[in-house]
Amino acid sequence: QDMKLGLIGDEDTVTGMLLAGVGHVDGQGKKNFLVVDSKVHIKDIEEKFHELTARKDISMVLITQDCAEMIRRTVDEYTNGLKVIPTVLEIPSKDTPYDPRKDSVMQRVAFFMPSAMASMGIDI
């Protein structure tokens, strides 16, 4: 089966990923990405996140960390659940520096290997 990436992020991040070939629009006009700007409501971001994580053809959802912060409760509910696919990865955006303490994957690393986080200079 042809698995795709889902993407939620700022215009520059989404544009770069689309130029790299990540974008897909199906026959009904359903996109696998959402450009988040000042006009997009938090409810729309949550709806797109739920749509992408429910799709059977999405293997991974990339979300910029600032967008994930806007819907943190929703992202945490999903990542703390039992589903592994699609995997949700938080990525940095050009406007906001990456904070590993907010990333659910890095929180799991910290839980199982606190010494690894300390060796990277990250306080937990």
Side-chain angles (χ1 to χ4, degrees):
Q1 184 181 358
D2 186 27
M3 300 297 279
K4 298 167 186 56
L5 294 178
L7 179 62
I8 300 173
D10 60 273
E11 185 174 13
D12 291 339
T13 301
V14 173
T15 300
M17 293 290 194
L18 294 179
L19 289 170
V22 169
H24 181 264
V25 181
D26 68 8
Q28 290 89 34
K30 191 184 289 187
K31 301 173 183 173
N32 68 329
F33 58 91
L34 175 67
V35 175
V36 176
D37 57 20
S38 60
K39 299 179 207 88
V40 175
H41 297 288
I42 290 175
K43 177 179 66 75
D44 298 327
I45 302 170
E46 285 181 336
E47 286 175 4
K48 185 55 132 179
F49 182 83
H50 286 303
E51 175 196 319
L52 291 172
T53 54
R55 285 176 53 176
K56 300 291 183 219
D57 64 333
I58 300 286
S59 62
M60 188 178 298
V61 176
L62 302 177
I63 183 168
T64 57
Q65 197 168 49
D66 52 344
C67 291
E69 277 302 307
M70 297 166 96
I71 60 166
R72 175 56 59 198
R73 188 176 54 82
T74 304
V75 171
D76 288 346
E77 283 175 7
Y78 178 82
T79 55
N80 292 333
L82 299 175
K83 284 184 75 176
V84 177
I85 296 177
T87 302
V88 175
L89 288 180
E90 295 181 28
I91 60 174
S93 66
K94 78 172 199 182
D95 297 327
T96 310
Y98 174 72
D99 185 355
R101 291 168 295 195
K102 295 178 181 174
D103 187 341
S104 60
V105 172
M106 294 306 285
Q107 287 173 358
R108 287 186 185 162
V109 170
F111 180 78
F112 290 109
M113 297 180 59
S115 59
M117 298 294 280
S119 69
M120 290 188 283
I122 300 167
D123 295 327
I124 47 172

